[in-house]
């Protein structure tokens, strides 16, 4: 987080002004909102004055005609205030919704550009909370707070001028109370920022746990952890409740103090104003107007004190949002990066070293070359660095040392888009988006015709099960493809990768969830498809390994051995051990299939 609850409790001015800059480009709407605010403020100031005239110059003077006109004017002022209020609400809503729409879109677009390390470190729920929950406080700042501040300043200044014109002594007696109101609000400011920061953090934690629980419901129910999960969620809700109760306590302490000062002002008017009336120095209508204006005088001061809390809440939200917007991706296009043409030669790793945290080295001096049309299998113990090699190839990360070349060009010298458009990726746990199977398959090529979608599905051995569904390719799979089996989701991901016709195909345990019969058919199709591309495969089954043109045995972050299957069985003890432990069991399955 930008600040912890125990850190700086002051309102950073640059954050506030940066937040107000979101209103740029909406000058006409703002001008209309400010105009309606002035009309409403003028109506509020006119009310007590009209009542004073009605009492002193109408009722007490016995002038019924003047009294009638005062009533008509008062009704007109009230009607104008109501109409202005309607347009003000409409304009403020438009301003707020437009600004928040633009900010959310800007934030989402910025998140798309973030590197993979950001998402591997941040919880999805925390990110969602910044896009959704924090925007409410920012919306309040950009709309009602800005106009309310102007209205309260206008009413406060106008009321003060009118009261001094009525009676200087009584006005001075009342105005001595205003500094007390501001001091009271200022005294609570140090607690407000910390309180709202804690509230934002707790609701973000609740959102994160809720997202995690929904996504992992199968695991929760599979291990009968429902009760414990509910207890943990309840603890987070309790922390959120405590944070909000702390904020309510701040206001519960502030409000009585404000009301006490307001009551003291009314007592001063009754006592001092009453003495002035008894001495004939003040008209009754003026005293009534004084009491009415007293609310106009203290209400803005009260709201300005409370508005400070609103501003603090918005500043906390802005800090959290700007923290994301100010974050620079770790992997970006270098200055002068060029769009690379379709791969023709091959991929080469030269002395590549990499660490995720800068402390523990994951890859050390990795060097190999894969020619166009080759299939390269990566085998090795869990955690050896196989997946990291493929992540570097897709440039999800950049190595700390060494080079990765594509047709002789360093990956860092080409644009990310041109690189990744040449890569088809099938992960071990494929992700499907909410929508139809057809749209999921053509995710990488939204304009692909239905015939090509079906062809890719047939090559991936997915067509038969899709055709058997009631709605076929139009079947809605829902988020993450929860209506499909693990093997079916993997076949859809396979078809999605094949449809983009990639020059580089990355298969990360891509057939681990399919049965041997389906895998054999996929392998038969791949033998044809892989002739015109490079395939990098993290092997799980023997069939993938034995047909590879090159097998890289990865151990402790380095290439321990390389060669074909038959060579490595005799020359590499680690590969032979892996074969005997992991691959030999699947050989019996594949023998049955064959």
């Amino acid at each position: 987080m930008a600040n912890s609850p125990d850190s700086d409790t002051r309102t950073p001015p640059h954050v506030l002004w940066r937040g107000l800059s979101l209103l740029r480009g909406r000058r006409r709407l703002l001008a209309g909102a400010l105009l309606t605010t002035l009309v409403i403020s003028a109506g509020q100031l006119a009310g007590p004055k009209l009542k004073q005239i009605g009492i002193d110059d109408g009722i007490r003077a016995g002038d019924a005609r003047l009294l009638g006109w005062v009533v008509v004017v008062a009704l007109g002022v009230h009607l104008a205030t109501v109409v202005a209020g309607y347009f003000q609400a409409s304009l403020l809503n438009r301003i707020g919704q437009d600004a928040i729409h633009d900010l959310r879109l800007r934030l989402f677009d910025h998140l798309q550009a973030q590197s993979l390390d950001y998402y591997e470190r941040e919880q999805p729920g925390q990110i969602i909370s910044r896009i959704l929950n924090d925007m409410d406080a920012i919306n309040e700042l950009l709309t009602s707070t800005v106009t309310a501040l102007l209205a309260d300043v206008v009413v406060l200044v106008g009321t003060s001028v009118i009261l001094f014109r009525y009676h200087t002594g009584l006005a001075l007696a009342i105005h001595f109370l205003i500094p007390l109101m501001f001091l009271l609000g200022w005294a609570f400011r140090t607690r407000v920022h910390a309180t709202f920061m804690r509230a934002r953090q707790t609701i973000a934690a609740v959102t994160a746990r809720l997202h995690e629980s929904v996504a992992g419901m199968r695991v929760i129910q599979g291990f009968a952890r429902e009760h414990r999960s509910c207890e943990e969620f309840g603890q987070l809700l309790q922390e959120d409740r405590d944070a909000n109760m702390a904020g309510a306590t701040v206001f519960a302490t502030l409000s009585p103090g404000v009301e006490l000062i307001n009551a003291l002002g009314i007592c001063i008017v009754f006592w001092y104003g009453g003495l002035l009336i008894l001495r004939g120095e003040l008209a009754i209508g003026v005293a009534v107007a004084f009491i009415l204006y007293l609310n106009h005088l203290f209400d803005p001061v009260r709201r300005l004190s409370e508005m400070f809390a609103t501003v603090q809440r918005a500043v906390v939200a802005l800090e959290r949002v700007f923290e994301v917007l100010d974050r620079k991706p770790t992997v970006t296009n270098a200055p002068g990066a060029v769009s690379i043409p379709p791969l023709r030669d091959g991929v080469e790793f030269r002395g590549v070293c990499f660490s995720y945290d800068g402390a523990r080295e994951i890859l050390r001096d990795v060097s190999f070359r894969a020619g166009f049309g080759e299939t390269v299998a990566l085998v090795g113990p869990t955690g050896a660095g196989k997946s990291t090699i493929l992540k570097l190839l897709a440039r999800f990360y950049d190595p700390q040392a060494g080079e990765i070349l594509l047709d002789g060009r360093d990956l860092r010298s080409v644009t990310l888009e041109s690189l990744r458009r040449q890569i088809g990726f099938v992960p071990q746990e494929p992700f499907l988006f909410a929508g139809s199977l057809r749209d999921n398959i053509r995710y990488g090529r939204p304009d692909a015709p239905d015939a090509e979608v079906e062809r890719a599905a047939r090559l991936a051995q997915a067509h038969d099960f899709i055709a058997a569904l009631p709605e076929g390719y139009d079947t809605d799979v829902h988020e993450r493809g929860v209506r499909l089996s693990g093997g079916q989701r993997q076949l859809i991901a396979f078809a999605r990768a094949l449809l983009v016709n990639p020059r580089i195909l990355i298969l990360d345990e891509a057939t681990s969830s399919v049965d041997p019969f389906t895998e054999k058919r996929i392998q038969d199709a791949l033998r044809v498809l892989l002739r015109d591309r490079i395939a990098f495969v993290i092997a799980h089954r023997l069939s993938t390994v034995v047909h590879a043109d090159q097998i890289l045995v990865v151990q402790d972050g380095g290439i321990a051995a390389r060669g074909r299957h038959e060579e490595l069985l005799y020359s590499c003890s680690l590969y032979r051990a892996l074969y005997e432990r992991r691959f030999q069991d699947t050989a019996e399955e594949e023998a049955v299939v064959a």
Side-chain angles (χ1 to χ4, degrees):
M1 296 296 174
N3 290 316
S4 66
D6 298 323
S7 62
D8 190 8
T9 58
R10 297 170 296 174
T11 302
H14 70 281
V15 173
L16 185 58
W17 286 115
R18 187 176 174 186
L20 294 177
S21 69
L22 298 171
L23 296 174
R24 289 175 183 170
R26 298 173 177 83
R27 294 181 180 179
R28 292 186 178 180
L29 292 175
L30 279 172
L34 296 178
L35 179 61
T36 56
T37 299
L38 292 175
V39 172
I40 294 171
S41 300
Q44 292 175 343
L45 291 173
K49 179 64 177 180
L50 290 172
K51 291 179 177 64
Q52 179 261 313
I53 294 174
I55 292 173
D56 290 339
D57 299 336
I59 297 174
R60 294 189 63 198
D63 191 339
R65 183 170 178 274
L66 178 61
L67 181 62
W69 275 110
V70 169
V71 171
V72 170
V73 173
L75 286 174
V77 170
H78 183 71
L79 179 61
T81 302
V82 170
V83 173
Y86 167 79
F87 284 107
Q88 182 194 56
S90 178
L91 290 169
L92 289 178
N93 183 65
R94 173 70 181 277
I95 292 171
Q97 292 301 320
D98 286 355
I100 294 302
H101 167 273
D102 292 349
L103 182 58
R104 277 195 177 123
L105 187 60
R106 178 182 167 193
L107 185 59
F108 187 79
D109 181 66
H110 187 73
L111 287 169
Q112 305 298 298
Q114 287 301 310
S115 305
L116 191 62
D117 61 334
Y118 176 78
Y119 294 100
E120 292 182 342
R121 184 177 61 257
E122 293 288 333
Q123 291 180 298
Q126 294 279 354
I127 299 173
I128 293 171
S129 180
R130 299 191 189 205
I131 297 178
L132 298 180
N133 299 335
D134 290 344
M135 293 299 172
D136 292 335
I138 297 174
N139 185 32
E140 188 176 2
L141 170 69
L142 298 180
T143 57
S144 57
T145 301
V146 174
T147 54
L149 179 63
L150 174 65
D152 287 341
V153 170
V154 171
V155 171
L156 183 62
V157 173
T159 298
S160 296
V161 171
I162 293 172
L163 291 182
F164 275 101
R165 288 179 63 86
Y166 275 142
H167 195 282
T168 302
L170 187 56
L172 283 174
I174 296 300
H175 279 72
F176 276 124
L177 299 176
I178 293 180
L180 293 178
M181 300 281 277
F182 281 110
L183 287 174
L184 183 63
W186 189 257
F188 282 90
R189 76 175 183 85
T190 56
R191 297 177 57 189
V192 171
H193 188 277
T195 299
F196 286 133
M197 177 61 78
R198 183 186 172 203
R200 288 290 158 191
Q201 291 173 334
T202 55
I203 191 61
V206 168
T207 305
R209 177 54 64 89
L210 182 60
H211 178 275
E212 182 182 67
S213 299
V214 172
M217 190 56 66
R218 291 181 182 178
V219 177
I220 292 174
Q221 294 181 351
F223 285 89
R225 292 274 296 181
E226 296 92 337
H227 181 68
R228 180 56 183 167
S229 179
C230 188
E231 287 182 348
E232 293 172 350
F233 190 67
Q235 291 174 359
L236 290 176
L237 290 177
Q238 181 65 39
E239 293 175 7
D240 182 58
R241 174 184 176 276
D242 293 343
N244 284 283
M245 286 297 296
T249 301
V250 172
F251 288 106
T253 308
L254 176 63
S255 297
V258 174
E259 294 300 330
L260 179 62
I261 295 174
N262 189 37
L264 182 60
I266 294 175
C267 291
I268 291 175
V269 173
F270 267 102
W271 175 72
Y272 188 28
L275 292 178
L276 293 175
I277 292 173
L278 291 175
R279 293 202 296 257
E281 298 178 13
L282 191 69
I284 295 177
V286 173
V288 171
F290 244 97
I291 294 175
L292 295 175
Y293 275 121
L294 195 63
N295 289 326
H296 289 326
L297 187 66
F298 286 136
D299 279 349
V301 178
R302 183 193 299 112
R303 282 194 296 270
L304 288 173
S305 299
E306 295 173 352
M307 201 177 298
F308 179 80
T310 302
V311 171
Q312 286 283 3
R313 183 165 54 243
V315 165
V316 168
L318 285 168
E319 286 176 347
R320 287 164 49 83
V321 170
F322 289 148
E323 180 187 7
V324 177
L325 289 176
D326 291 340
R327 178 182 175 81
K328 304 298 183 184
T330 54
V331 176
T332 58
N333 287 328
V338 297
S339 180
I340 191 170
L343 178 70
R344 294 185 179 276
D345 184 16
V347 173
E348 184 177 1
F349 277 58
R350 289 183 182 173
V352 171
C353 299
F354 177 75
S355 169
Y356 285 106
D357 57 10
R360 188 171 69 91
E361 204 169 38
I362 303 299
L363 298 179
R364 292 189 301 275
D365 195 27
V366 172
S367 299
F368 66 87
R369 189 182 187 285
F372 190 72
E374 289 187 353
T375 296
V376 179
L378 287 79
V379 301
T382 300
K386 302 183 298 296
S387 294
T388 300
I389 290 175
L390 299 185
K391 289 178 181 178
L392 293 177
L393 176 60
R395 211 181 161 217
F396 291 137
Y397 298 91
D398 281 333
Q400 281 81 33
E403 295 178 304
I404 303 174
L405 306 176
L406 201 67
D407 282 352
R409 298 184 183 182
D410 193 313
L411 291 189
R412 288 167 290 200
S413 68
V414 304
T415 62
L416 288 169
E417 184 177 5
S418 67
L419 167 66
R420 292 174 182 168
R421 283 195 177 280
Q422 299 201 45
I423 297 176
F425 186 68
V426 184
Q428 183 178 6
E429 297 180 2
F431 184 94
L432 300 187
F433 295 90
S436 69
L437 288 171
R438 189 190 314 278
D439 289 340
N440 268 281
I441 293 174
R442 63 182 173 200
Y443 184 77
R445 282 183 59 198
D447 58 344
D450 292 347
E452 292 191 31
V453 171
E454 183 175 330
R455 177 178 177 273
R458 288 182 182 276
L459 289 172
Q461 305 301 316
H463 174 75
D464 290 344
F465 90 79
I466 295 175
L469 295 172
E471 298 179 62
Y473 284 85
D474 293 322
T475 300
D476 191 337
V477 296
H478 289 188
E479 184 183 353
R480 302 186 312 278
V482 293
R483 290 185 172 183
L484 303 177
S485 69
Q488 289 173 331
R489 290 198 300 272
Q490 217 161 31
L491 294 179
I492 296 300
F494 217 107
R496 180 168 57 195
L498 294 178
L499 183 62
V500 299
N501 192 27
R503 309 295 281 181
I504 301 172
L505 184 61
I506 296 177
L507 308 179
D508 188 354
E509 303 279 15
T511 58
S512 61
S513 296
V514 300
D515 60 85
F517 297 93
T518 303
E519 184 187 17
K520 184 178 185 303
R521 290 191 291 175
I522 291 176
Q523 293 294 341
D524 292 339
L526 281 177
R527 288 192 186 98
V528 178
L529 290 170
L530 296 183
R531 292 173 186 166
D532 298 323
R533 68 195 85 240
I534 300 178
F536 289 90
V537 182
I538 293 182
H540 175 73
R541 286 177 170 162
L542 177 64
S543 57
T544 309
V545 175
V546 296
H547 296 294
D549 299 291
Q550 182 181 182
I551 299 173
L552 303 178
V553 181
V554 185
Q555 182 181 25
D556 297 329
I559 306 298
R562 71 191 72 203
R564 295 183 65 89
H565 171 67
E566 296 81 2
E567 300 170 4
L568 293 174
L569 276 178
Y570 293 100
S571 63
C572 180
S573 59
L574 173 60
Y575 180 79
R576 186 167 55 253
L578 290 172
Y579 166 73
E580 291 173 352
R581 273 188 251 163
R582 183 185 303 177
F583 300 133
Q584 204 167 40
D585 292 339
T586 61
E588 297 178 3
E589 295 179 353
E590 291 156 11
V592 174
V593 175

